Amino acid sequence: MSEAAILIEGLSKVYQGGKQAVTDLNLRIPRGSIYGLLGPNGAGKSTTINVLAGLVRKTAGRVSIWGFDIDQDPLNARASIGIVPQEIFFDPFFTPFETLEVYAGLFGIPKHKRRTMELLEAVHLEDKAFSHARSLSGGMKRRLLVAKAMVASPPVLVLDEPTAGVDIELRQQLWSYVKKLNDQGVTIVLTTHYLEEAEQLCDRIAIINHGHLVTDQPTRELLDMAGDKSMDVVLRQPMEVLPSDVSDWLARYHHDVSAEMVNPTRLHIRYDKKKITAGDILTVIEQAGLAIVDVSTHEADLEDVFLRLTKNNPEASLT
Ligand SMILES: Nc1ncnc2c1ncn2[C@@H]1O[C@H](COP(=O)(O)OP(=O)(O)OP(=O)(O)O)[C@@H](O)[C@H]1O
């Protein structure tokens, strides 16, 4: 197995005062992936990222970044990762150009090897290169943070809620840059509250809840495991109860399909798409003599899976 971009083994964090934020977390983030770390508020995402950034001291466990153990080889581990934090903080009197130059200086990157203007162009801030950072909008500051995290060309880039409060157009720009970096071989780890974003961008997703790992698998498999689809069927004639042909059929396949009458002309049906097709259901309804006016289907998305895995059940499992 090739070496992981980030390997987390048995990570635990108990804050002063006794709050256990992360419990025995194991994650293997593959090189070259766009990896989503998701979880409800307070799940332990920022704590985990802050351990990687060297900002929070772990209570137990081992962590390595690009093969470098953060305790035994902290300098190399730190140089292998760029972190875009949730909070925006800059020296307000520096221009974006100076901010990146100073940061490159801190990393000891010689002047001729710096990519300051290239980075500013990549995040569409070239026009603002010489304006005071305090005059930048919130979205521009966030993009500057991304450029700052890439100053030393680290092989891993971590983005902690990078698009919170950023408008849709800007979000798209930011993501196209992130995808471009990934195409160039940079491993991306991101936390986001926008599940649709994670579903579209990430090739692998881990969900944590109350500091515990709930699932960690390829996005496609996670969505497939949800399995459920639902269908709304609108009938021409109102009815009080389901015809016996339909209810008998439902009883026979009760493990795979269930129906609810939302009102006298609307049926809401949930079914396991691996066992039953929409066609099977429509055939049964029609053969029972019911005329169908309209049909719509809904595929389980990441939001459904996320809610199912995190609702009131910290250690829920899909299986
Ligand atoms: N410095 C701290 N001292 C004590 N408890 C903390 C500290 N930082 C975080 N916590 C607690 O640890 C738990 C995990 O917090 P963390 O910020 O890691 O969650 P998160 O998943 O990033 O949440 P969010 O999505 O809201 O940012 C929470 O209960 C939080 O209140």
Side-chain angles (χ1 to χ4, degrees), residues 8-15 18-27 37 42-51 56-61 63 208-213:
I8 296 177
E9 292 170 301
L11 177 69
S12 291
K13 172 64 191 176
V14 182
Y15 283 106
K19 171 73 202 176
Q20 173 116 26
V22 174
T23 308
D24 193 22
L25 183 68
N26 295 292
L27 287 181
L37 186 58
K45 305 178 295 291
S46 295
T47 300
T48 305
I49 285 173
N50 287 335
V51 168
V56 163
R57 192 192 289 266
K58 59 187 163 54
T59 310
V63 175
I208 56 175
N209 196 18
H210 298 295
H212 293 268
L213 181 67

Side-chain angles (χ1 to χ4, degrees), residues 213-229:
L213 181 67
V214 178
T215 189
D216 171 17
Q217 56 189 316
T219 309
R220 195 62 263 159
E221 279 175 27
L222 191 59
L223 291 169
D224 278 352
M225 277 179 83
D228 283 357
K229 249 184 121 159

